[in-house]
Amino acid sequence: MQSGSPLDAAGLVMMAYATTPLQLHLGAGVLIGFGLSACSFNLVLAAFGKLLPEQWRPMAFGAGTAAGSFGQFLFPPIGNILIETLGWQQALIVFAFTLLPILPISIVMATRKTGAAVGATAANLPNQTIAQALGEAFKHRSYVLLVLGFFTCGFQLAFITVHMPAYLKDAGLPAWVGGWTLAVIGLANAVGSLSSGWLSTRMPKRHLLAWIYLGRAVAIAAFILLPPSPTTAITFGIVIGLFWLSTVPPTSSLVMLMFGTKYMAMLYGFAFFSHQVGGFLGVWLGGVLYESMGNYQFVWWLSVALGVASALINLPIVERPVQRPEAQPA
């Protein structure tokens, strides 16, 4: 996180002053991409996992996700005000400065020590190397299924975030509908993430994930089948927001349950990589298929199909710590 916030801020500044497509790609794509990866859920949730006892972790994962979701609700209106009063370039500069406090806060957090017990999660292996941890994880069927299912989460979220305003504009709705739809997604996401963290302690996490992915598929199908209007758009934003990042608490909890806390950030990072690959394809395919077909219908239905597929993929996951040879140190 100490390196992520300056990279993210630098990317916003480069976006503000970009004069060529290459500069825009370097700022918005490369610098912000690396910055976000160094400030994202894999590091934040891994820190929660090491700071807190096992029984508190799912709720903490939900609370951490909800905090980010509230930012999604808060900052779009602020951004609109800044753009109207200062211009879009200065708005990016202001947002860049808001990221800088992350640096000293993360340094303070890095000095904290904890002796929290591992609890019911897999015991950490003191001598396990990174290569051994990766080999163990990618030979574990349940982890692979979890990673594959998380692909859909990224695909759906990125496609909706980027293409929803254009979809609503094509439907003849005013621009404010798209902005408020994305804003209510962030607010509902805070509720959904906290609820998901709470439910993760009270029901099988694989079942919770299956219901979340299936719920998304049903919500998207209903939205594209109903006539577009401000009411249906904002209602969809609320409903899909409840499922938005509610996958994060059970997914991160399962990774920690299977493998312990030592390599949590790395192993959840690979799951998040799958999420981001899905996000890339959601944005890219949304644009490519819109250009070739003239509408977003195929990508919407693809999102529905992926939601159903991920619901089924998560059902065979086995929720228990990885079985290790007795000879290995515990």
Side-chain angles (χ1 to χ4, degrees):
M1 294 184 70
Q2 295 172 20
S3 60
S5 58
L7 285 174
D8 213 350
L12 289 173
V13 172
M14 181 170 282
M15 282 180 63
Y17 295 108
T19 57
T20 66
L22 178 60
Q23 291 174 346
L24 183 63
H25 292 323
L26 288 175
V30 178
L31 289 177
I32 291 180
F34 278 113
L36 288 176
S37 68
C39 295
S40 60
F41 292 116
N42 57 316
L43 297 178
V44 175
L45 300 185
F48 286 168
K50 292 180 179 180
L51 287 168
L52 299 171
E54 190 272 336
Q55 65 269 22
W56 292 358
R57 289 170 187 163
M59 277 301 297
F61 295 159
T65 308
S69 306
F70 185 73
Q72 182 180 342
F73 168 76
L74 182 64
F75 278 89
I78 294 175
N80 286 335
I81 293 171
L82 290 173
I83 290 171
E84 290 177 0
T85 56
L86 302 176
W88 67 268
Q89 289 176 305
Q90 295 305 313
L92 287 173
I93 300 299
V94 172
F95 280 150
F97 275 103
T98 65
L99 291 168
L100 297 181
I102 296 175
L103 181 59
I105 292 172
S106 64
I107 292 174
V108 172
M109 291 293 294
T111 63
R112 296 196 58 180
K113 304 292 182 182
T114 179
V118 174
T121 59
N124 294 317
L125 297 179
N127 299 321
Q128 188 181 43
T129 65
I130 291 176
Q132 290 170 339
L134 288 174
E136 180 182 66
F138 282 100
K139 290 177 184 177
H140 195 276
R141 179 172 177 264
S142 293
Y143 176 76
V144 173
L145 292 174
L146 191 66
V147 170
L148 291 175
F150 214 29
F151 170 91
T152 293
C153 183
F155 184 97
Q156 293 171 330
L157 268 57
F159 168 68
I160 293 171
T161 300
V162 172
H163 294 287
M164 172 66 83
Y167 173 79
L168 295 174
K169 183 179 179 182
D170 284 353
L173 299 177
W176 66 264
V177 177
W180 275 105
T181 299
L182 295 179
V184 298
I185 285 174
L187 190 61
N189 188 22
V191 177
S193 298
L194 286 170
S195 301
S196 177
W198 181 78
L199 289 170
S200 293
T201 65
R202 287 163 174 78
M203 66 181 290
K205 299 171 184 62
R206 66 187 186 279
H207 292 168
L208 178 57
L209 284 168
W211 280 114
I212 290 169
Y213 285 119
L214 184 61
R216 284 188 189 176
V218 172
I220 293 171
F223 173 61
I224 58 180
L225 289 173
L226 290 171
S229 71
T231 301
T232 57
I234 293 176
T235 301
F236 172 71
I238 294 170
V239 174
I240 201 69
L242 293 173
F243 299 117
W244 195 251
L245 285 174
S246 57
T247 55
V248 171
T251 299
S252 52
S253 296
L254 281 170
V255 173
M256 192 168 290
L257 172 67
M258 293 174 190
F259 305 108
T261 60
K262 183 177 181 181
Y263 290 115
M264 164 67 181
M266 179 183 69
L267 296 179
Y268 184 75
F270 275 94
F272 197 66
F273 174 77
S274 173
H275 182 282
Q276 296 303 85
V277 171
F280 164 78
L281 289 175
V283 174
W284 180 70
L285 281 177
V288 169
L289 294 177
Y290 180 84
E291 289 294 324
S292 61
M293 297 181 176
N295 59 63
Y296 289 108
Q297 291 302 309
F298 182 84
V299 189
W300 280 119
W301 286 112
L302 179 59
S303 295
V304 172
L306 287 172
V308 174
S310 285
L312 297 174
I313 283 173
N314 279 275
L315 288 176
I317 289 174
V318 178
E319 298 187 34
R320 63 167 179 258
V322 63
Q323 299 298 306
R324 287 166 172 152
E326 294 295 330
Q328 286 186 294

